[in-house]
Each structure stands twice: as structure tokens, then as C-alpha cells.
């Protein structure tokens, strides 16, 4: 009997994801997650992890276990009947611990420096991060998982960082595909496992969080806080900047070349988003104006079917920009465009009590066009007949 299990976490803690994966591997679901507000840590967190004051903390029957990889080992020891995470062989266990420790010392600290520092420090972190990823790539080699055929302790330590791989690439200006191709394949393989995909950020969660940073629902906490009369720097401020910087770089990585120069100087994800929104709003406004102008051009020498097709495609494009024309507006545009020879039809349509749909108008115009063509051809044939008659009389009189 496991007893009471409480996991102190925060909404998007990569370290807590390790614990969630370990529980999922063991098939443990009956634990409670309590998400901490890291800008205002609960008395429970401070009491359970008085040394580091960090999440995750696992509280098992009232007793705290701190530090993510120590929690994972505890879970592996306690629920040792299923899916071992650490190998049983002492040497292999030491080997697995070595690499998990390497990940903790190299990946997160260098990644963090990459998005929170500048100049030489950033460059040094960039180089060290790439080198560390390459080292992990060689350690993995052609194996499916770090330990061989089955998912284990080292995989679990590294996989939560999968969601920030593209941020590493865009900030560090390198390609994981080029530098560490096996690692990229390994990450895809791991994320297909249900125990992993259910426990790490998915794109939807990431998107929801992005919106909350961007729209200001999660505002930037103050730089400093006052506690018991003393002013101290606020760790929540640094965390917010770090998360927001991840989002900003995700936005930068996803926009096209032309827009990037406009948003490059943005300091926060919200600022970048606002600039993009303005940019695209302007683009769509000018597109709408252009389409409306196209609608008011008259048919000229275009055959009627071609003109009507041109109107239809313009109206469809306008509908895509959310500017749907009413049937009446469209009818006015079309009747103005077709020309004065459709005058009788125009009068008949305008005299209707109800609006006319484009399809019906199209049919009526085509019928009227056929009628006009017939009229024209009978007029022409009358002219031709008269001409021939006149000419034959003329020729006869001339020849006689
Ligand atoms: N080495 C720790 C790192 C945990 C950690 O950095 N937790 C972050 C959240 S992801 C935290 O609690 N930050 C709060 C703070 O820095 O005050 C572990 O593996 O558990």
C-alpha cells in the first residue's frame, strides 16, 4: 500500500515532468499534483524543501523527497516490481547515474545561459551546449535508448528538454539534425511513448501557456520583493523572463524572413505578438481594399462567363478575409459591371421585392446574354440581307 502521494510542482516545470514520467512508467496514477505559484511559494513547499525551496517535491505519507532525479530513484526503489528505470547491475547503475548527472550539469545550465546572457558568456554556453549534445549523441550511438532496448533513467532525465530543442537551435544558431542526428531520432522515439507524451508539455499546452504570457494573463512579476522589511530580488521575475524568452524565441523561429526584421528588437513575447498582429492586420486591410477595388472594375471586353467567374473568385477571397458581401451589395457591383446592354434586366432585378442570390443572378445574366446575342445576330442578318439586296440591285443596275 503506497499511502498518500502529493507532488509539489509548478505548471510548466521540466523537472517535475521527470517525476510524472517515472510514475507513468510504474503505472501509478493515484497521486495528487499541487501546482505552486513560484512567485509566492506556499508554506508547505518552504517546509518540505527548506534547503532549495524548489519544485518538484514528492511528499510520501507526509515525508518529503526533493530533487527530481532523487525522486525518480525513490520511485524506482519503492515500486520495484515493474518497469525498472535503473539497471540492476551496480556498474550499469553507476553509469546511468553518471549520464543523468552530466545532463543536469550541462544541458539545463548551458541552455539557460543561452537565453539569459549575452556576448562572450553566451558564446561560451552555446559552444558548451553543442559539445554536450554531441557527447550525448555519441553515448547514445545507434541504440534505441541510452540503456539499450528499453526506456530508462537517462532517457527520463533528458526527454523533458525535447520541447526546448528548437529554442536551443534558434538561439544557438545550429541544427540538431546536423550536430546530433541520433539524438533527434531518439527524442521522436521517446515522445511516441504514452508514458512520455502524457507527461511532457504538448504543443497544445505550450500554445495555451503562450497565449497567457502574450495576452498578459501571466504578467511579469516585480524585479524585487519586500519580505519582513527587507528588499530582495524576486526569483519569480527571473523565471518569468526565462519562460517568456523561450516563447519569444519560439515566435521568432516561426515567422517568415520578411516579418522577422520587424519583431527582432522585441523584448517580450507580448511585444513581438503585438507587432505581428499590427503587421498582418495592415496586410489584410490593404488586401481587402484591393479586392473591393477589383469588384468595382467593369467587364470591359471580357466575355460574360469570364467576368462572372472573376467576380465570384473575388467575392470568395473577400469571404476568406471575413468581409462577406451581402447579396444586394454583390448584385449592385455585378449589374454596374456588366454594362448598359443589360439595362432591362437591371431594372427587372432592382424592381424585385427580395434579394437575388449570386447563382440566380448568374443564370439570369447568362440567359439575357444569349438573348442579346440572338438579337444581335438577327439584327446582323437583317443588315446583311439588306446589304446583299442593295448591292445586288446596285450590281444589276450597273451591269445593265
Ligand atoms: N535540481 C532541481 C531543479 C528544480 C528547479 O529548478 N525547479 C524550478 C522550477 S522548474 C523552481 O522550483 N524554481 C523556483 C525558484 O527558482 O525559486 C531538480 O532537479 O529538482
Amino acid at each position: 500500500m503506497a499511502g498518500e502521494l502529493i507532488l509539489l510542482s509548478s505548471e510548466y516545470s521540466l523537472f517535475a515532468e521527470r517525476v510524472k514520467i517515472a510514475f507513468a512508467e510504474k503505472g501509478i496514477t493515484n497521486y495528487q499534483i499541487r501546482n505552486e505559484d513560484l512567485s509566492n511559494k506556499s508554506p508547505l513547499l518552504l517546509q518540505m524543501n527548506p534547503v532549495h525551496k524548489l519544485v518538484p517535491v514528492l511528499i510520501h505519507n507526509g515525508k518529503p523527497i526533493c530533487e527530481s532525479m532523487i525522486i525518480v530513484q525513490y520511485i524506482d526503489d519503492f515500486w520495484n516490481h515493474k518497469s525498472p528505470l535503473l539497471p540492476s547491475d551496480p556498474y550499469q547503475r553507476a553509469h546511468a547515474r553518471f549520464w543523468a548527472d552530466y545532463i543536469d550539469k550541462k544541458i539545463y545550465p548551458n541552455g539557460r545561459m543561452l537565453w539569459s546572457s549575452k556576448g562572450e558568456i553566451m558564446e561560451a554556453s552555446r559552444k558548451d551546449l553543442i559539445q554536450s549534445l554531441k557527447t550525448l549523441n555519441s553515448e547514445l550511438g545507434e541504440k534505441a535508448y541510452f540503456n539499450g532496448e528499453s526506456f530508462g533513467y537517462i532517457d527520463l532525465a533528458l526527454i523533458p528538454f525535447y520541447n526546448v530543442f528548437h529554442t536551443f537551435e534558434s538561439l544557438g544558431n545550429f541544427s540538431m539534425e546536423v550536430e546530433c542526428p541520433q539524438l533527434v531520432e531518439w527524442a521522436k522515439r521517446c515522445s511516441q511513448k504514452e508514458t512520455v507524451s502524457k507527461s511532457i508539455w504538448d504543443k497544445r499546452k505550450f500554445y495555451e501557456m503562450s497565449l497567457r504570457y502574450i495576452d498578459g494573463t501571466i504578467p511579469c512579476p516585480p524585479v524585487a520583493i519586500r519580505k519582513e522589511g527587507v528588499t530582495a530580488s524576486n526569483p519569480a521575475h527571473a523565471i518569468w523572463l526565462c519562460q517568456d524568452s523561450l516563447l519569444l524565441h519560439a515566435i521568432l523561429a516561426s515567422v517568415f524572413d520578411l516579418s522577422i526584421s520587424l519583431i527582432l528588437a522585441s523584448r517580450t513575447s507580448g511585444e513581438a505578438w503585438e507587432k505581428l498582429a499590427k503587421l498582418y492586420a495592415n496586410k489584410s486591410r490593404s488586401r481587402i481594399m484591393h479586392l473591393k477595388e477589383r469588384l468595382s472594375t467593369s467587364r470591359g471586353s471580357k466575355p460574360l462567363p469570364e467576368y462572372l467567374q472573376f467576380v465570384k473568385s473575388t467575392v470568395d477571397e473577400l469571404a476568406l478575409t471575413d468581409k462577406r458581401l451581402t447579396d444586394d451589395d454583390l448584385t449592385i457591383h455585378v449589374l454596374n459591371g456588366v454594362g448598359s446592354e443589360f439595362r432591362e434586366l437591371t431594372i427587372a432585378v432592382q424592381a424585385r421585392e427580395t434579394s437575388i442570390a449570386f447563382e440566380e443572378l448568374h443564370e439570369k445574366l447568362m440567359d439575357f446574354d444569349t438573348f442579346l446575342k440572338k438579337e444581335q445576330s438577327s439584327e446582323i442578318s437583317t443588315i446583311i440581307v439588306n446589304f446583299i439586296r442593295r448591292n445586288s440591285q446596285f450590281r444589276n443596275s450597273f451591269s445593265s
Side-chain angles (χ1 to χ4, degrees), residues 56-162:
V57 176
L58 177 65
I59 310 173
H60 191 185
N61 290 325
K63 289 188 287 190
I65 305 112
C66 304
E67 288 293 302
S68 60
M69 290 317 283
I70 293 176
I71 303 174
V72 170
Q73 288 181 47
Y74 176 82
I75 293 174
D76 202 30
D77 288 342
F78 197 92
W79 288 274
N80 58 6
H81 64 286
K82 191 185 169 194
S83 312
L85 296 168
L86 275 159
S88 53
D89 173 72
Y91 180 75
Q92 291 301 323
R93 285 168 84 85
H95 181 83
R97 286 188 181 120
F98 170 86
W99 284 110
D101 180 60
Y102 181 84
I103 292 164
D104 270 353
K105 287 189 173 127
K106 293 287 188 179
I107 303 302
Y108 184 66
N110 277 322
R112 198 175 166 156
M113 287 313 278
L114 199 61
W115 62 72
S116 59
S117 66
K118 286 189 186 129
E120 279 174 25
I121 300 178
M122 178 182 169
E123 188 48 28
S125 314
R126 189 185 88 89
K127 283 194 181 138
D128 203 14
L129 177 68
I130 299 174
Q131 189 46 55
S132 315
L133 289 166
K134 279 178 155 179
T135 306
L136 284 166
N137 193 66
S138 344
E139 170 57 22
L140 174 70
E142 297 303 324
K143 299 190 292 278
Y145 297 103
F146 278 91
N147 198 34
E149 282 312 301
S150 56
F151 180 88
Y153 191 74
I154 310 173
D155 308 296
L156 186 149
L158 185 59
I159 195 60
F161 296 102
Y162 180 39

Side-chain angles (χ1 to χ4, degrees), residues 9-10 12-16 18-19 38-39 41 45 49 52-57 66-71 104 108 112 234-236 238-239 243:
S9 176
S10 69
Y12 299 103
S13 164
L14 298 178
F15 295 101
R18 291 169 163 177
V19 180
L38 294 176
S39 60
K41 293 173 184 167
L45 173 61
N49 191 356
H52 297 307
K53 306 179 179 69
L54 301 175
V55 295
V57 176
C66 304
E67 288 293 302
S68 60
M69 290 317 283
I70 293 176
I71 303 174
D104 270 353
Y108 184 66
R112 198 175 166 156
N234 184 2
I239 294 168
Q243 299 272 38

Side-chain angles (χ1 to χ4, degrees), residues 315-329:
V315 169
D316 287 349
E317 267 194 68
L318 265 173
L320 282 179
T321 65
D322 248 16
K323 294 281 172 219
R324 207 173 281 278
L325 284 191
T326 64
D327 283 342
D328 285 345
D329 284 343

